[in-house]
Structures are given as structure tokens and as C-alpha cells.
């Protein structure tokens, strides 16, 4: 029974019994700060179990996509660890409880397949229960007719369920399948592999507290209602019903192994190390597909880092099997075809998904080329000195300079029999973070010591800040700093920090850039280039003296550039408008996570799992401009933080606020945010809002950039001029430009394809000539060929195959092709069957030429990664080995 059919039957069974079919939640656990990914079927229903929200239904069923990564190193080593899996579940929210849950589960498990059930043999099923759950024991005996010896009582670690963190929990009953005596002793439910869990029925009735393991946690009390939460591992049931040995061999996964086997020439099942790599490839490519499909993109932190690590482990696994060309374009479409029967959106969105995956492989291939050489040298040096520990400094260099992840360094070093000085690596990483933090602070404070600021604050008191009230003030210079030290006089051309008794300048904060303007006196003029608040209560102006001398005690006039401030107000109010428009179009989940604005420009980061469609982007832009056209009123209110929350004002996640806060409204409840920035008085003053880009900036995070006011007019004018220029160049009306450009691009692609075909044909046609020129070394015909520059590994392999086809099959023959591309040389060796029968090995020849590197088998092998100028030397090394030199 195919996996998609098991899923269909499960949902149909519960829908027929009054359950609402609920779609799977996206894999990123955006709503739960305790989780990176959804790791159980019930996660999206937690608010209903805890009583925080009222469920829209009393019964639900779902097949939830899940990710678990704590055991990522175990993937492939065991046949039960996978990163992506699907959890069938049925849920009751205060409706039915133990009796109905057991009835529904037993019916589906044991009903014949011909009648829509799963058809498991009743005699092989054992429902375990929590040790003191007599009620469940009685129900199993009555409903399933099972004797006591078929219902094992197990302890808290086996039959009391929770997510591993504080939250809903309860005793459970697991339906176990007896796999037979070859897997362990009869009745031994705690050890061995004989009894496999297929379905866990959780009687969700308690709330747990903190704990360190499955048994060490406190029960805080009862949930508002007794609920049911069940979980049936779809992959586990699939491999039982499909008659295969493990989850890697079911219909949704095995085709990936088969394709990897075709690419590498290795056979699954032939050796344990290779089998582990095949399973890593299959699991990780499928997981990568599902993660990117749900909006996660590769990055260096959080969910994006998990995705990056998973994809890179898959890529490296297939390289270790001997395939060094781009692997994901060969494997990802296979994963798509396996999963799209259950998730058709994967096919619809495959262009986006594949672009992220293929881009990550390209980046990793570059990283490997550089980092592997450095690592190999470091390993060689460590071994030569008799050491067993790779220095932390070398691991840090690989990470910092070449982007080599530390986990990859650990794996590759372990394969060479070395450990890594992880403590030294972590110390260097910590030092780097401290330096980066100090550098960022120094750029904001001109390297001033904080004590100097505190002395200025103590001497002059808090700055009288007038940015909300006026654009100019009559002020006095209270103090100045140059390179961290107090000074009395700043001369022409000098860059210094100035503290005034009062100021109209807005200090950078809340995502708004600092004001620009001037500070002038009777005989001095200075330009304000930055304004910061290095410590609370003190506003510091970074100024460049343009004329005269600026001295402490001087009476000056502080003037904000009115055009600058107007642009800043437009951009900051525009940020609020775009945020409200995003939430209007996409829903409340599109919550701002960061922003930056300067005159005429804004960018806004927000939580969202996937790229905005062109339609959604246009709707957001229209909603923002509709608010501008309506000239929505802008109001500022002060209130306590609890009052603001009750008022419905949005706060930026991660920010800290005083007890009294400033709330900025645009159009009343349409936009209410806690904000300390400067704003327009009416929305129409923002001017047009034009979204210029939308892109991913990390796991579950998107970024929109936009321009406002005059910058928006300028942007549209440039776009108009560009379109006019293209139309003139093509001699076509503007309305026809998309079709004309598309046609030109297609012609270019066709030409590139034709060139590629001609090149491939040229290589094929040359194969006979190369074979005829083969040199005899003893009784072996060796065709050693250096391919034209730019020949990829795939073309080199095809050429070698063609050459072998022209060699006399009745005599031992070798086709060796060296190719150069991207500054590196690669080697492909193919031995005909007569040659392998006489003991020749393509793999041995490649490894001999490449000092142990490369992979393949006796017939076909390849390797590379050495400098391009060594191509001819690789061919000479092959010939020398054949000659026995």
C-alpha cells in the first residue's frame, strides 16, 4: 500500500467519524518560541489543549509534517532515525476520551484492507498502557477482546507522553506490532526491536512543568478538559505494509537511493558504510525539499542553519560515494515526484524550491574546493607531528575564512582518525564575537570610553531633547570628545563628538536613522553627521567642523535639515503603513521583526514562511497607498505598557520598553504600534509608497524594501526611462516588451543548448580518434586524453565512455580523461570488462593518481580537486601505474 494511500485512508476514516480534516501546519514553528520546527502532530493544537483558545471544532484529524534534528548524526547509521517524517493524528478537544479513541484506533488498524482499513493481524498487536491506568486496561479487554498478557503495563518513560518541554501531557497507550522471535525475546517490551510502536494514543489530561528527561518532571495540574491526541508514524506504518525493511525503503524515499546508486555506480546493500551514505542522501534531500517548500532558506543561524547543514551533509555523502558533479539537480526532482502525490504544492513551487537548493550546492562546492585542501594539509601536518588533535585555530580559520562549518570539520577530521580542539575553536569564536561587538559600538561612539559619557551626563545632566517639538534650538556646548578623550576646542576639519544642553536632533533608534543638519555659532560652522544615545539620557552629536573653532561653553544654534526630517518622517510613517498593509493582506502572522528607515527609504523584516506572490506584493502596495490616499489621521498617545497592550498596540519582538510608552496610531486601530520615531501628521504627507524588492533574509523571515515621497517619484521616473530605452532598442511598443524579451531569452537559451549539443557531438566524434591513438602498455590499450578547457566532469565521463566503446572489447583497455574547469583538474578512468577481468581497477588508478582521493569502482572511477596545471600529470600517473612504475 503506497504511503499516500495510507494517508488517505487515515483521514477518510476519521472524517467519516465526525472529525474535521485540518491541513498540516508549516514546518517552522513560528508561533512557538521553544521550537525551531514542528516536531509532533499536536503542536498546532496546543492552545486548544491548554484552554488558551477555543477550538473551532471538537474533533480534528491531520497528517502533520514534522522535523526532528537532535539525532542528525544517527541518520543512516540506524534505520529508525530520520529528520523528516509525517505524523497521522486524531484529536478530541473535550469531546470523546479513552473509550472512543481506542475504538477508532483498533477499528482502523484491524479492519481488512478490502474494507478501507489497514489490515494488521490482530494476533500480532499488543497495546501497552501506563503502569497504573486500570481504566485503559479494562477498555482494551472489552473493545479488542485481549487478555491481560497481551496488554503490558509500562512505566513513565514509555507510556506517559509530553513534548519534552512544559505543556500538555498525559498517560498514553501504544499499539505495538510483534515483529517475531528473530528480533528479540517474547514479552521483552523494554529491550530489543521485537515490539515496534505503530500508534500512540495519548490521553491528554495534565500539564507538566520543567524537567530534564522523560521521567524527571512535575505534574502541575489538570488541563481544563480531557483531550485525545494520537500519533501514528506514517513512514513506519508504510514500511510495515510495503514489506520493506525500514523507512528508507518506502515508496517516498527509496527512489532517491536508487537514483543515487545510478549516479555513483555503487549498489545499495553492498556495504554498510555506503548504505549509511545512501540513507543520509535520501533522508536529507527529502527533508531539504520539505523545509524549503515551507519557506525555510539556507542561512547561518536558526532554521536556516539546520537546512544548510542537512543539504550539505547530503551533498558530501554523495561525493564520498564517488559522484562529484552537481547532485541536487539529479536528486531533488526525484524527491519532488515522490512527495507531490501528498503535497502537490511542491510541484507548483518547484522552481523557487530548486533555486534555493541548487544555489546552496553551488556555494558549498566552492567551499569544499577551498576548505578541503586546507583541511587535508592540516590533517597531514598534525599526523606528521604525531598529533591526534587538529588545532582549534585551524578549525577557526576554516570557518572564518572559507565558510567551512565546524560540524563538517569534525566529521572530516574523524574520518582521518583525528579529533578537533573544540574548546580552542569556541574560544576563538567568542573572541571574534567580542571584537565584532566592540567594533560596532566603536563605530557608533567614535571609540569613546563609556566613562567619558557618564562624566558628561553627571556634569551637565540629561539632554533636553526637543526632537518632537522643533527643528531648531538655541543651545550651549556642554562638552566635547575627540577619540574618546575630553577636549575644550575643536578646530576646522576635525571630527568630534559634541554634547549640547538641548537639541532638536533625532538620535538614531527604533530603526530610524539619525537627523542631519548643522550647529553654528558666531564664528563657527559644523556639519552634524550622526546622532546617538550612548547612555540613557545623553544625546551625542558627531560633527565635522567646517569653519572656525568650536569650543566648550559656546552658544550655538542647532538646526535640523528640514528636508531631511521630512523625508525621515515620511519613511518612518511609511514603515508603519507597509506593516499594517502586510497584516491586512497576509494576516496577523506577518509580524514585523525589524526595520530601518532613512529619508525616502524604508526596509521592513517580517515573519513569513514563503516568497510573496506578485499578486500579494501588489495587494500590499495598493493597501499602503490606499491608506495614503484616504489621508488617515496620525495620532500619538502616551500610556503605560500594560495599557498599550490592552489598547492593541504592537511591540517589536525583542525590544525593551519603559513603563510609559509612546503609541503611534495611523487610522486608529488599523495601525497601532509602540514607537519613538518621528512621523507625519496625516498619511497623505507620506506621498506614494513603492515597494522595490521583497526577499528572504533568513529562516521564516522576509524583507520588503520601499521608497516614499520624492524618492518614490524618482524611482518610478527611472523605471519609466528604462522601459523607454528598452522599447527604443527593441523597436517595440511598451505593451509588447515582455513577449519580445521572452522571445529573445528563449533564442539565447536555444543557442546555448545548440552549442552544448555541438560540443557534445564534437567530443563523441573525437572518441574514435582518441581510441585509435591509444598507446599499448604491455597488452593494455591506454587512451589517455586531455579534454578541452572548460569540460565538466559529466562531459569528461561521457567522453571516456565513448572512447571505451571504440576500444577492442576482447583486449584489456583503459580510457583516461583529464578535464579542467574552474581552475581545477579532474580525472575519469573507465576500464573495459576484459581489463577488469585481468585485475585492472579504475578506482585504484584514480586514487593512485590523486594520492588516495576519488571514488568509484573497478569499472568507473573519478576524482579531482587538484590545480588545473596538473591535468597532464594525472594522465601520466595513470600510464605509469599500468606500466608498473
Amino acid at each position: 500500500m503506497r504511503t499516500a494511500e495510507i494517508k488517505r485512508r487515515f483521514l477518510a476514516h476519521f472524517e467519516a467519524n465526525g472529525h474535521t480534516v485540518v491541513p498540516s501546519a508549516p514546518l517552522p514553528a513560528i508561533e512557538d518560541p521553544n521550537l525551531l520546527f514542528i516536531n509532533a502532530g499536536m503542536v498546532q493544537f496546543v492552545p486548544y489543549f491548554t484552554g488558551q483558545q477555543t477550538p473551532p471544532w471538537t474533533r480534528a484529524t491531520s497528517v502533520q509534517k514534522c522535523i526532528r534534528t537532535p539525532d542528525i548524526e544517527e541518520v543512516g547509521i540506524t534505520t529508525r532515525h530520520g529528520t523528516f517524517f509525517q505524523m497521522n493524528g486524531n484529536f478530541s478537544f473535550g469531546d470523546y476520551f479513552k473509550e472512543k479513541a481506542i475504538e477508532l484506533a483498533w477499528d482502523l488498524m484491524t479492519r481488512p484492507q478490502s474494507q478501507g482499513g489497514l489490515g494488521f493481524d490482530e494476533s500480532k498487536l499488543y497495546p501497552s498502557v501506563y503502569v497504573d491506568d486500570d481504566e485503559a486496561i479494562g477498555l482494551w479487554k472489552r473493545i479488542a477482546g485481549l487478555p491481560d498478557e497481551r496488554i503490558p503495563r509500562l512505566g513513565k518513560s514509555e507510556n506517559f507522553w509530553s513534548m519534552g518541554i512544559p505543556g500538555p501531557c498525559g498517560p498514553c497507550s501504544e499499539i505495538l506490532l510483534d515483529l517475531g522471535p528473530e528480533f528479540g525475546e517474547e514479552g521483552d517490551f523494554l529491550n530489543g526491536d521485537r515490539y515496534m510502536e505503530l500508534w500512540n494514543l495519548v490521553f491528554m489530561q495534565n500539564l507538566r512543568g520543567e524537567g530534564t528527561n522523560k521521567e524527571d518532571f512535575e505534574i502541575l495540574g489538570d488541563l481544563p478538559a480531557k483531550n485525545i491526541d494520537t500519533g501514528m508514524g506514517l513512514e513506519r506504518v508504510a514500511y510495515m505494509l510495503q514489506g520493506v525493511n525500514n523507512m528508507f525503503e518506502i515508496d517516498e524515499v527509496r527512489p532517491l537511493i536508487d537514483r543515487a546508486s545510478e549516479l555513483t555506480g555503487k549498489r545499495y546493500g553492498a556495504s554498510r558504510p555506503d548504505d549509511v551514505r545512501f540513507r543520509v542522501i535520501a533522508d536529507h534531500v527529502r527533508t531539504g525539499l520539505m523545509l524549503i517548500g515551507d519557506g525555510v532558506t539556507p542561512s547561518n543561524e536558526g532554521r536556516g542553519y539546520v537546512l544548510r547543514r542537512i543539504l550539505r551533509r547530503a551533498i558530501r555523502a554523495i561525493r564520498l560515494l564517488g559522484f562529484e558533479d552537481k547532485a541536487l539537480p539529479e536528486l531533488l526532482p526525484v524527491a519532488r515526484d515522490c512527495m507531490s502525490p501528498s503535497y502537490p504544492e511542491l510541484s507548483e513551487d518547484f522552481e523557487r524550491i530548486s533555486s534555493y537548493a541548487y544555489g546552496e550546492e553551488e556555494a558549498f562546492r566552492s567551499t569544499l574546493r577551498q576548505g578541503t585542501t586546507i583541511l587535508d594539509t592540516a590533517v597531514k601536518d598534525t599526523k606528521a607531528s604525531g598529533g591526534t588533535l587538529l588545532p582549534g585555530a585551524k578549525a577557526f580559520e576554516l570557518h572564518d575564512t572559507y565558510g567551512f562549518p565546524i560540524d563538517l570539520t569534525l566529521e572530516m577530521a574523524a574520518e582521518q582518525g583525528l579529533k578537533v580542539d573544540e574548546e580552542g575553536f569556541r574560544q576563538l569564536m567568542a573572541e571574534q564575537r567580542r571584537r565584532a561587538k566592540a567594533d560596532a559600538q566603536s563605530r557608533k561612539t567614535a571609540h569613546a570610553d563609556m566613562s567619558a559619557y557618564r562624566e558628561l551626563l553627571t556634569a551637565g545632566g540629561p539632554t533636553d531633547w526637543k526632537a518632537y517639538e522643533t527643528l531648531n534650538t538655541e543651545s550651549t556646548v556642554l562638552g566635547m570628545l575627540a577619540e574618546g578623550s575630553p577636549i575644550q576646542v575643536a578646530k576646522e576639519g576635525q571630527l568630534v563628538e559634541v554634547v549640547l544642553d538641548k537639541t532638536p536632533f533625532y538620535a538614531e533608534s527604533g530603526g530610524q536613522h539619525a537627523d542631519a543638519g548643522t550647529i553654528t555659532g558666531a564664528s563657527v560652522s559644523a556639519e552634524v553627521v550622526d546622532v546617538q544615545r550612548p547612555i540613557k539620557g545623553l544625546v551625542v552629536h558627531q560633527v565635522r567642523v567646517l569653519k572656525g573653532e568650536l569650543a566648550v561653553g559656546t552658544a550655538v544654534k542647532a538646526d535640523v535639515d528640514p528636508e531631511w526630517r521630512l523625508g525621515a518622517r515620511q519613511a518612518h510613517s511609511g514603515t508603519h503603513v507597509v506593516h499594517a498593509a502586510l497584516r491586512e493582506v497576509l494576516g496577523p502572522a506577518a509580524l514585523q521583526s525589524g526595520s530601518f528607515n532613512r529619508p525616502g527609504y524604508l526596509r521592513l523584516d517580517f515573519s513569513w514562511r514563503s516568497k510573496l506572490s506578485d499578486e500579494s506584493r501588489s495587494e500590499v502596495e495598493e493597501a499602503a497607498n490606499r491608506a495614503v490616499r484616504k489621508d488617515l489621521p496620525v495620532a500619538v498617545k502616551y500610556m503605560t505598557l500594560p495599557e498599550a497592550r490592552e489598547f492593541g498596540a504592537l511591540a517589536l519582538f525583542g525590544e525593551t520598553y519603559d513603563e510609559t510608552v509612546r503609541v503611534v496610531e495611523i487610522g486608529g486601530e488599523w495601525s497601532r504600534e509602540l514607537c519613538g520615531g518621528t512621523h507625519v501628521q496625516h498619511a497623505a504627507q507620506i506621498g506614494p509608497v513603492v515597494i522595490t524588492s521583497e526577499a528572504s533574509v533568513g529562516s521564516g523571515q522576509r524583507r520588503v524594501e520601499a521608497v516614499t515621497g520624492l524618492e518614490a517619484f524618482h524611482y518610478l521616473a527611472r523605471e519609466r526611462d528604462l522601459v523607454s530605452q528598452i522599447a527604443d532598442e527593441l523597436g517595440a511598443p511598451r505593451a509588447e516588451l515582455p513577449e519580445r524579451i521572452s522571445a529573445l531569452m528563449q533564442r539565447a537559451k536555444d543557442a546555448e543548448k545548440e552549442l552544448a549539443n555541438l560540443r557534445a557531438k564534437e567530443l563523441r566524434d573525437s572518441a574514435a580518434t582518441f581510441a585509435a591513438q591509444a598507446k599499448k602498455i604491455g597488452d593494455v590499450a591506454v587512451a589517455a586524453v586531455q579534454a578541452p578547457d572548460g569540460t565538466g566532469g559529466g562531459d569528461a565521463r561521457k567522453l571516456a565512455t565513448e572512447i571505451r566503446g571504440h576500444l577492442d572489447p576482447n583486449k584489456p583497455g583503459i580510457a583516461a580523461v583529464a578535464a579542467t574547469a574552474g581552475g581545477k583538474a579532474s580525472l575519469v578512468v573507465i576500464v573495459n570488462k576484459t581489463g577488469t577481468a585481468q585485475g585492472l581497477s579504475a578506482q585504484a588508478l584514480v586514487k593512485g593518481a590523486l594520492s588516495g582521493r576519488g571514488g568509484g569502482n573497478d569499472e568507473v572511477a573519478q576524482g579531482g580537486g587538484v590545480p588545473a596545471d596538473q591535468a597532464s600529470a594525472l594522465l601520466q600517473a595513470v600510464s605509469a601505474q599500468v606500466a608498473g612504475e
Side-chain angles (χ1 to χ4, degrees), residues 431-471:
E431 289 175 13
Q432 184 195 55
R433 283 192 288 269
R434 284 194 294 269
R435 286 195 303 269
K437 186 175 181 180
D439 182 57
Q441 182 61 39
S442 70
R443 288 196 299 270
K444 290 297 183 185
T445 63
H447 305 277
D449 188 285
M450 290 296 116
S451 62
Y453 294 126
R454 284 191 285 270
E455 289 174 7
L456 287 170
L457 180 63
T458 300
T463 305
D464 186 4
W465 190 57
K466 302 289 188 180
Y468 294 147
E469 304 165 27
T470 182
L471 294 180

Side-chain angles (χ1 to χ4, degrees), residues 573 576-577 631-637 662-668 671 678-686:
S573 296
H576 286 222
V577 165
D631 196 19
L632 297 178
V634 178
V636 174
K637 299 178 180 180
R662 184 173 183 258
V663 177
V664 176
E665 281 188 324
I666 301 179
S671 171
T678 61
H679 288 272
V680 298
Q681 295 176 315
H682 292 271
Q685 294 173 331
I686 297 171

